[in-house]
Amino acid sequence: MDILPCPDCGSRVFPESCYCANGHPLAYDPAARALVPARGPLCANRDSLGCSWTAAEPGALCLSCATTTVVPDLSAPGATELYAATEAAKRWVFDGLMRLGWFASETPELPEFHLMSEKIEGRRQVVMMGHADGLITLNIMEADPATAIRRKQEFDEPIRSMIGHVRHEVAHFLHDRLGREAPGFLPAFRQLMGDEQADYGEALESYYRNGPVPGWQETHISEYAAAHPHEDWAETAAHALHLEDLARSAGELGLSLDGGSLLDRAQMAGLGLNHMCRALGQPDPYPMVISPAVRQKLDFALGWLDRRPS
């Protein structure tokens, strides 16, 4: 994530902030990648959800918030805060993808989001997160820190966050777009990750019944990535976006990192994070071991996801 100057006083500000440290009201223009005075059209979710982005016209939603067409039930205590955290994760992911050249046209093709809550006043409902033909369903309870920790342990996922969920599901959407728009993507993808046309239902049923294939650590970024080529892409692409953002954020902080490539620098940033957290007796925030085969897949994913002119 970039750290940008306040247009009024020059102090450095995170783009998700609505005010700088000196109290100047700000807004973030994602197309210009700049902070602007909060005098133009602002996202209609600014006051209710803390959205810092600009909008196309007064009373409208920003590019990110407008992709949510179903909002969660807010009757349960704390639901509004989880809704706001989910929208913040979406903005973070969209901003990173726009930095890589996605959604740059005046009428960008964007996914649609249904934000649901499994916890409703007086009862619970089952929320299946996933992607289908451009529609992404998210469970806002995953933005709850206690829920995330519990499910991280339950599913043995060392990195589990709402930003991760958004990146994973948006990666499915981007796979569909690359398959339609980028000549050469699908043949190269199938050679590296397998045929995505293989029966998805059968593959997931086998995965949940038998577990991942033995030795998955050598070839896949996660257990779930081994379930089907679609999940291999989504897990790998999401992790590549994690690493790209990690390296970018470290650079914004002025940290000097060894490594010839962005992914090399990102891994060094991850090691540095682990070292600092161990000094405080905290768990490693980046507990990943990347094999040569997985590194090849990460390079592949980031190469196709980066749409900036070379």
Side-chain angles (χ1 to χ4, degrees):
M1 174 64 75
D2 297 331
I3 306 176
L4 302 170
C6 169
D8 288 316
C9 66
S11 61
R12 300 183 77 200
V13 186
F14 295 111
E16 67 266 35
S17 301
C18 292
Y19 297 88
C20 77
N22 294 316
H24 297 120
L26 305 169
Y28 179 61
D29 182 343
R33 307 201 58 76
L35 291 170
V36 297
R39 293 191 286 267
L42 307 177
C43 179
N45 281 342
R46 183 179 177 94
D47 292 336
S48 59
L49 301 180
C51 178
S52 64
W53 283 23
T54 58
E57 57 188 38
L61 294 169
C62 70
L63 176 145
S64 177
C65 289
T67 62
T68 297
T69 59
V70 171
V71 301
D73 185 297
L74 301 179
S75 61
T80 299
E81 290 77 9
L82 297 180
Y83 176 25
T86 302
E87 287 291 358
K90 281 176 54 199
R91 291 194 300 276
W92 192 289
V93 173
F94 274 125
D95 188 51
L97 288 169
M98 292 172 76
R99 183 174 67 236
L100 291 175
W102 289 93
F103 317 131
S105 71
E106 291 187 3
T107 56
E109 181 183 349
L110 295 160
E112 175 185 352
F113 286 84
H114 288 185
L115 304 188
M116 314 286 287
S117 176
E118 66 188 33
K119 187 177 181 181
I120 299 175
E121 188 68 40
R123 64 184 178 89
R124 284 185 175 267
Q125 65 176 351
V126 176
V127 178
M128 296 296 295
M129 296 202 298
H131 166 267
D133 297 323
L135 173 62
I136 294 171
T137 302
L138 294 176
N139 175 12
I140 66 167
M141 291 300 298
E142 291 282 347
D144 174 56
T147 299
I149 291 173
R150 184 172 66 252
R151 291 178 181 171
K152 182 185 295 186
Q153 296 170 341
E154 179 182 351
F155 296 108
D156 194 23
E157 295 182 359
I159 297 179
R160 186 183 180 97
S161 67
M162 182 55 80
I163 284 180
H165 290 311
V166 178
R167 282 180 173 147
H168 175 104
E169 301 303 345
V170 171
H172 282 301
F173 169 80
L174 298 180
H175 183 279
D176 290 349
R177 283 197 55 181
L178 287 168
R180 295 194 311 269
E181 301 170 8
F185 171 71
L186 285 178
F189 169 82
R190 289 166 183 163
Q191 183 176 6
L192 183 63
M193 295 189 177
D195 188 354
E196 84 289 351
Q197 301 169 99
D199 190 287
Y200 184 77
E202 280 187 13
L204 285 193
E205 183 180 349
S206 174
Y207 169 77
Y208 286 120
R209 182 176 62 249
N210 304 316
V213 295
W216 64 265
Q217 298 91 337
E218 295 300 316
T219 54
H220 295 81
I221 191 67
S222 69
E223 289 189 19
Y224 190 51
H228 187 274
H230 269 308
E231 299 307 337
D232 196 6
W233 164 263
E235 290 281 277
T236 303
H239 197 74
L241 293 173
H242 282 335
L243 291 171
E244 190 274 341
D245 203 3
L246 182 60
R248 173 84 177 195
S249 297
E252 285 293 304
L253 292 171
L255 300 178
S256 177
L257 301 171
D258 294 331
S261 73
L262 181 144
L263 291 181
D264 289 333
R265 295 194 297 276
Q267 287 186 259
M268 289 301 298
L271 291 174
L273 280 174
N274 292 346
H275 190 60
M276 288 185 283
C277 285
R278 289 179 186 184
L280 301 174
Q282 298 300 311
D284 288 354
Y286 184 73
M288 308 297 290
V289 177
I290 296 176
S291 70
V294 170
R295 173 56 187 268
Q296 183 183 6
K297 291 181 178 181
L298 290 168
D299 285 329
F300 171 85
L302 193 56
W304 284 99
L305 288 170
D306 192 341
R307 285 195 154 190
R308 292 171 295 186
S310 54

